[in-house]
Amino acid sequence: MKDNKNLTAYLALAAVCVIWGTTYLALRIGVTQFPPFLFSMLRFLAAGPILVLFMLTIGKAKWPNRRVLVDQAISGLFMVTLGIAMVGWAEVYISSGVAAIICSMMPIWTVLINVLVTKDEKPNWLILLGLATGLAGILMIFAEHLIEFSNANYIRGIVLTFLANLCWAIGSIWIKKNNQNSNPFLNAGLQMLFGGLFLIPISLLLDDYSAIQWNNEVIFSLVYMILIGSVAAYACYSYAIKKLPMTLVSLYAYINPIVAVILGWLILNEKLNFQIGLAIVVTVVGIYLVNRGYQLKNNPINIQHSLFKIGKASISNLKSQTLSPNKMEIKIYQVDAFTNKVFGGNPAAVCPLEEWLPDSVMQNIAMENCLAETAFYVNEKEGLRIRWFTPTVEVDLCGHATLATAFILFNHENFQGDTISFNSRSGQLTVTKSGDMLTLNFPVDTLREVNSIPELEEGLGVKSIKTFKGKTDYMLVFENEDQIINMSPDFKLIGKVDARGIIVTAKGKHVDFVSRFYGPQSGMDEDPVTGSAHTTLTPYWARVLDKTEFSARQLSKRQGDLKCKLIGDRVEIRGQARLYLVGKLFVDL
């Protein structure tokens, strides 16, 4: 079954590589015989509603909120109206092949904008080499068309294509930073719809309607661009990007200009010689180097990792290992959460899954990992769902593993946008990215004060001021930070208390409050940094300190710092994360 799904994904990718390459030719045929903006307007006002209606009915997508609509409208303005439609206008003056080659540089324009507007984006030497190589390829293309630069219309077409690329890049960055985790198919339809609507006044202002001629070539190219170039190609692209690695899917950007140049040469007699062919190769190499530079930048550690004991076997032997039919290969990440350096904070494992494994298998993976938490997530029809396992049990909520999972999605699994929404046993949880800071938004715990518990008093060795019971944990409040630092629990004794774990806390010397978390009942004597415990700690200290924003520190050996904020019945918990390991598991099913 998995092989069939992969075959379908590869066929979808092949379709994208060919179809989007042919659209330059179809667009050229259409705009040279028909008002260019009117042609694009009709295309998107047809393709957009088709995709929207399909998703709202058969796709069962929900109509988005106002914020999502505004984001798609802005993206549609830049990517469709000022991007794709402007390329159509440019192709009135330049060949489809030249337009395709310039547009293939889109990843490079995006990098340049990120460098200028995003302080966190610092290109490495490979990215810079790719930029220079890609630019050299474009200059080689222009060198073959020097005589055409005496034509003002040719220069206009070149300038328009570059401006269209700039607008597309701006729109892409906008939607990436303002994505609301809504349906990507529906978003694409809305972008085309809004882009078509914005084209109405532009067409009325700039198009010459006396040039309208409905011939077979125009009708065929328009229908092709609507049904094949827009609806079908985007559906294939979305399916491929969901099933295949992004680095593989990005191959379409290398193949599209080759298809466009060859078709332009075969059908429209556009120029093609050895130097232009070499220039295409140079441009494609530049794009590859940029993409490769970002892969190395975002994946500093790439270690083949196995949960089976392999003795003295080398990494090369592991790489060549052939999986038996009853074994499954699963990607695994290990992330240090609530810290800005490796070996700090709280380590968590993260396993992306295409579909849920049996609970027993996930529990065994967590046990073998021997970390406080292993998080698993699946992109279900209703959205991302996350589950957490300690070495012995599945838990209802885990903060640091959720932070780690969001970190992986943002930085290594191609999630588009700055806010992730997870479905979980504790309801909806969101994580928002701002630079390298991640903010969890969790529901507050419900607290009630209870009588002191003898096993806890004896097991902790220090008498608490107050004892509280939350949904899953007990929380004990102590007089000062030193008592928390010097605490040496009897884990066997406190492990007899029926709870997920025990939170101990006191007012801090250098932060608002400090804490530690003990969970022998859940297979971990002491958890280094416990995000979920701060859904209990924050509302308590809000009442005591009469404030809503806090600096917090968990005083384990690894130690971790958190920023917490109480907002009604929700708690925001902020922290950083660092990647430690990328690997593969080989498990029996």
Side-chain angles (χ1 to χ4, degrees), residues 445-461:
D445 195 4
T446 55
L447 277 180
R448 58 185 176 87
E449 189 169 0
V450 296
N451 296 327
S452 61
I453 300 172
E455 292 90 345
L456 290 181
E457 297 284 351
E458 183 181 352
L460 295 172

Side-chain angles (χ1 to χ4, degrees), residues 349-365:
V350 178
C351 294
L353 301 174
E354 289 188 6
E355 56 188 22
W356 292 112
L357 302 172
D359 287 4
S360 60
V361 174
M362 291 189 286
Q363 186 62 72
N364 283 336
I365 290 173

Side-chain angles (χ1 to χ4, degrees), residues 255-420:
I255 299 173
N256 285 168
I258 298 173
V259 173
V261 169
I262 292 174
L263 287 177
W265 171 59
L266 289 174
I267 298 176
L268 300 179
N269 294 317
E270 294 178 353
K271 190 174 184 180
L272 176 61
N273 56 28
F274 175 78
Q275 185 166 332
I276 291 177
L278 181 61
I280 295 172
V281 172
V282 172
T283 304
V284 167
V285 169
I287 299 168
Y288 170 79
L289 290 175
V290 170
N291 282 350
R292 183 59 179 162
Y294 268 95
Q295 291 171 36
L296 295 176
K297 180 181 177 182
N298 291 333
N299 294 278
I301 301 175
N302 191 357
I303 304 171
Q304 292 285 355
H305 177 69
S306 173
L307 284 183
F308 293 99
K309 294 181 180 179
I310 57 175
K312 296 181 179 180
S314 65
I315 292 297
S316 60
N317 288 336
L318 180 58
K319 286 182 178 179
S320 62
Q321 177 177 329
T322 301
L323 294 180
S324 61
N326 65 329
K327 289 189 184 294
M328 182 176 184
E329 181 179 305
I330 301 169
K331 186 184 293 185
I332 184 171
Y333 299 91
Q334 189 170 320
V335 176
D336 290 335
F338 293 117
T339 182
N340 61 1
K341 59 183 179 181
V342 175
F343 306 127
N346 199 356
V350 178
C351 294
L353 301 174
E354 289 188 6
E355 56 188 22
W356 292 112
L357 302 172
D359 287 4
S360 60
V361 174
M362 291 189 286
Q363 186 62 72
N364 283 336
I365 290 173
M367 179 178 63
E368 191 79 6
N369 285 343
C370 205
L371 296 170
E373 299 286 347
T374 296
F376 301 87
Y377 72 85
V378 171
N379 191 3
E380 298 178 334
K381 187 176 181 179
E382 297 78 15
L384 290 166
R385 179 169 293 278
I386 188 170
R387 296 172 68 182
W388 312 272
F389 289 79
T390 76
T392 58
V393 296
E394 181 177 6
V395 296
D396 291 335
L397 185 65
C398 179
H400 85 280
T402 304
L403 190 84
T405 303
F407 174 85
I408 292 303
L409 280 162
F410 282 129
N411 295 286
H412 303 281
E413 289 292 324
N414 304 305
F415 180 85
Q416 301 296 305
D418 289 331
T419 299
I420 297 174

Side-chain angles (χ1 to χ4, degrees), residues 456-520:
L456 290 181
E457 297 284 351
E458 183 181 352
L460 295 172
V462 186
K463 185 174 178 59
S464 63
I465 301 172
K466 293 182 178 181
T467 302
F468 294 88
K469 179 69 171 68
K471 291 178 181 177
T472 59
D473 306 320
Y474 281 98
M475 184 181 77
L476 283 72
V477 183
F478 293 85
E479 290 183 356
N480 57 64
E481 181 177 313
D482 290 335
Q483 291 176 308
I484 305 297
I485 294 174
N486 298 322
M487 196 171 289
S488 181
D490 180 338
F491 293 114
K492 186 175 181 180
L493 191 56
I494 66 174
K496 296 178 180 179
V497 177
D498 184 18
R500 179 190 71 155
I502 312 300
I503 307 166
V504 295
T505 185
K507 189 173 180 181
K509 295 178 182 178
H510 306 292
V511 294
D512 290 311
F513 62 85
V514 297
S515 66
R516 291 173 75 175
F517 186 93
Y518 308 120

Side-chain angles (χ1 to χ4, degrees), residues 1-22:
M1 179 63 73
K2 186 176 180 181
D3 291 339
N4 290 337
K5 287 183 179 179
N6 283 341
L7 176 61
T8 303
Y10 283 118
L11 291 174
L13 176 58
V16 171
C17 291
V18 175
I19 292 172
W20 278 351
T22 64

Side-chain angles (χ1 to χ4, degrees), residues 164-201:
N165 274 262
L166 175 64
C167 291
W168 178 279
I170 292 172
S172 299
I173 292 171
W174 169 268
I175 202 62
K176 181 177 180 180
K177 291 184 177 297
N178 294 276
N179 185 276
Q180 298 295 310
N181 200 29
S182 50
N183 188 291
F185 292 93
L186 182 60
N187 288 351
L190 291 170
Q191 289 163 19
M192 289 190 286
L193 174 58
F194 283 117
L197 292 173
F198 290 135
L199 281 169
I200 294 175

